Amino acid sequence: METIVSQADRENPEKDIIEAGAKLIKNGGVVAFPTETVYGLGANAFCEEAIDKIFIAKGRPQDNPLILHVSSIDEVYPLVEKVDENMKMLMEKFWPGPLTIIFKKSSKVSKKLTGGLSTVAIRMPRNKIALELINSSGVPIAAPSANTSGRPSPTEASHVVEDMYGKIDMIIDGGSTGVGVESTVLDMSEEVPTILRPGGVTLEDLLQIFSEVKYDQSIISDDENIVPKSPGQKYKHYAPKAKMIVFTGDVKTISKNIKSQVKSLTLEGKKVGIMATEETKDEYNEGIVLVVGSRSDKDTIARNLFKVLRQFDELNVDMILAEGVDTEEIGRAIMNRMKKACGGDIRKV
């Protein structure tokens, strides 16, 4: 398959590019497009054949639910059983933005899209290209991240090209994404609002609205038998090609342990990558050091995390030693992705 790659202005996307993408989606094609979180792999949510193409292109297990993307709050109502006052308040405050809400699904939504569940995940992205594409398509767009299943999510069009060229119909290049980690997934189908996947909207943000919000057991458990209610809850995700170890604890102790590990691994003939922060980058005199961001601004770490993992792949390192961060605010989402990327090999030092 020849994949069309089109570059679009993120603030004023060209009408012909949007119309071409929308036409492909209407006709059952698959189009990759930017959002404010990561690039999505989009298809007509009402076309089961198109949904199948997403799973095939990604190599994604069929029991892993997809997120529906809409361009207005009004588009939600036909897709769900009900919208209560709390759900409406969430949509009005955080949409468009990096929050996915879990609703009880209506009969219009295929269980193929929801992994066989009676709930559906919906969000409205904060990206003009994405919103215009959804609006022009005239249908909700089902869109997981536009990467091969298990690989680091794509935050630039080049990442999508690497994983998806020849497998899908079109890639719309809208530059680098802003948030860098996928949306927060919040389950509103239960009594207490429950975060199924941490992301750009934090627990602290949600506690400004609700007196109680909890994390789902899957975020703090390594049990692979948990039935996934949200993308990213099951299976190894975001993994680089090299083995990865994440170190947590006091910053000085982290860098000390990484330096010791680098020395040992280098003597064994290993090519070692170090995922460092601005604050520690100058402490390493061995290994390949890539700076992921600043501890004083963890949004920069979230934005660069997947990009740096893919850079280590390009450098063909044998091992990645990464500095963990604290789990306040977006740090929870960063550590969630790091835990998945390293297959749970997190060492507290």
Side-chain angles (χ1 to χ4, degrees):
M1 177 189 291
E2 182 67 25
T3 301
I4 302 165
V5 181
S6 299
Q7 193 161 1
D9 186 312
R10 70 174 74 196
E11 294 302 324
N12 297 290
E14 294 80 354
K15 190 176 179 182
D16 59 334
I17 292 172
I18 297 298
E19 287 180 350
K23 184 178 179 181
L24 284 166
I25 285 172
K26 286 177 190 174
N27 294 333
V30 180
V31 176
F33 61 95
T35 75
E36 78 281 22
T37 57
V38 300
Y39 274 75
L41 198 62
N44 183 344
F46 296 140
C47 176
E48 291 199 343
E49 185 181 334
I51 294 167
D52 284 338
K53 289 178 183 177
I54 288 177
F55 284 105
I56 292 166
K58 281 182 67 71
R60 183 185 179 98
Q62 292 277 344
D63 66 346
N64 206 353
L66 304 181
I67 291 174
L68 289 188
H69 291 65
V70 297
S71 58
S72 74
I73 290 174
D74 288 343
E75 293 168 38
V76 172
Y77 290 86
L79 305 172
V80 304
E81 279 189 3
K82 69 171 183 178
V83 176
D84 64 26
E85 286 304 309
N86 284 335
M87 296 167 180
K88 189 175 179 183
M89 183 167 53
L90 280 170
M91 291 188 288
E92 289 174 349
K93 180 169 177 61
F94 293 110
W95 284 9
L99 177 69
T100 294
I101 302 172
I102 301 282
F103 303 85
K104 292 285 186 182
K105 80 176 194 68
S106 74
S107 58
K108 287 195 73 169
V109 178
S110 167
K111 282 199 171 183
K112 181 170 283 192
L113 194 147
T114 66
L117 299 171
S118 61
T119 53
V120 61
I122 306 176
R123 91 174 186 100
M124 187 197 307
R126 190 179 64 227
N127 179 285
K128 285 189 177 181
I129 294 171
L131 290 172
E132 292 194 20
L133 181 67
I134 299 162
N135 186 53
S136 296
S137 299
V139 292
I141 293 181
S145 54
N147 57 300
T148 302
S149 191
R151 294 275 292 125
S153 296
T155 55
E156 297 182 0
S158 60
H159 303 159
V160 185
V161 171
E162 181 184 353
D163 284 12
M164 291 292 149
Y165 193 87
K167 298 178 182 179
I168 62 175
D169 300 289
M170 184 178 187
I171 299 168
I172 300 176
D173 181 354
S176 298
T177 61
V179 178
V181 293
E182 298 85 351
S183 60
T184 300
V185 178
L186 186 68
D187 188 359
M188 293 298 292
S189 67
E190 304 293 340
E191 188 174 335
V192 178
T194 304
I195 296 173
L196 303 184
R197 180 179 72 185
V201 173
T202 66
L203 175 70
E204 290 84 352
D205 294 328
L206 294 167
L207 285 173
Q208 292 176 18
I209 295 179
F210 301 115
S211 59
E212 184 182 5
V213 179
K214 66 180 183 179
Y215 285 112
D216 186 74
Q217 186 65 23
S218 65
I219 294 174
I220 52 177
S221 171
D222 296 320
D223 185 1
E224 286 292 304
N225 294 314
I226 292 172
V227 175
K229 296 177 74 175
S230 161
Q233 279 193 300
K234 194 175 180 183
Y235 309 106
K236 190 176 180 182
H237 270 63
Y238 322 118
K241 293 173 183 175
K243 177 176 171 53
M244 178 174 169
I245 302 170
V246 178
F247 294 83
T248 63
D250 173 78
V251 179
K252 287 187 176 179
T253 311
I254 288 173
S255 60
K256 181 181 176 182
N257 276 265
I258 288 178
K259 284 189 282 188
S260 175
Q261 286 284 327
V262 172
K263 190 175 287 293
S264 298
L265 290 165
T266 302
L267 286 172
E268 293 174 15
K270 303 285 188 186
K271 188 175 182 181
V272 185
I274 302 167
M275 185 185 289
T277 52
E278 285 288 349
E279 292 80 0
T280 59
K281 64 182 180 183
D282 295 330
E283 295 188 23
Y284 303 108
N285 49 25
E286 290 183 277
I288 298 170
V289 180
L290 295 182
V291 176
V292 71
S294 171
R295 290 178 177 275
S296 64
D297 181 5
K298 289 198 291 288
D299 287 343
T300 60
I301 298 176
R303 191 177 305 127
N304 294 320
L305 177 61
F306 295 137
K307 178 182 177 180
V308 167
L309 289 178
R310 284 181 177 264
Q311 286 175 333
F312 280 129
D313 283 350
E314 291 168 10
L315 293 165
N316 293 313
V317 299
D318 301 305
M319 177 74 76
I320 300 168
L321 305 178
E323 297 179 4
V325 299
D326 69 70
T327 55
E328 291 180 9
E329 298 178 327
I330 202 166
R332 173 70 70 174
I334 293 166
M335 288 305 298
N336 172 265
R337 303 315 191 270
M338 281 192 172
K339 180 180 178 181
K340 291 281 187 180
C342 72
D345 194 351
I346 296 179
R347 303 184 187 181
K348 186 167 178 57
V349 294

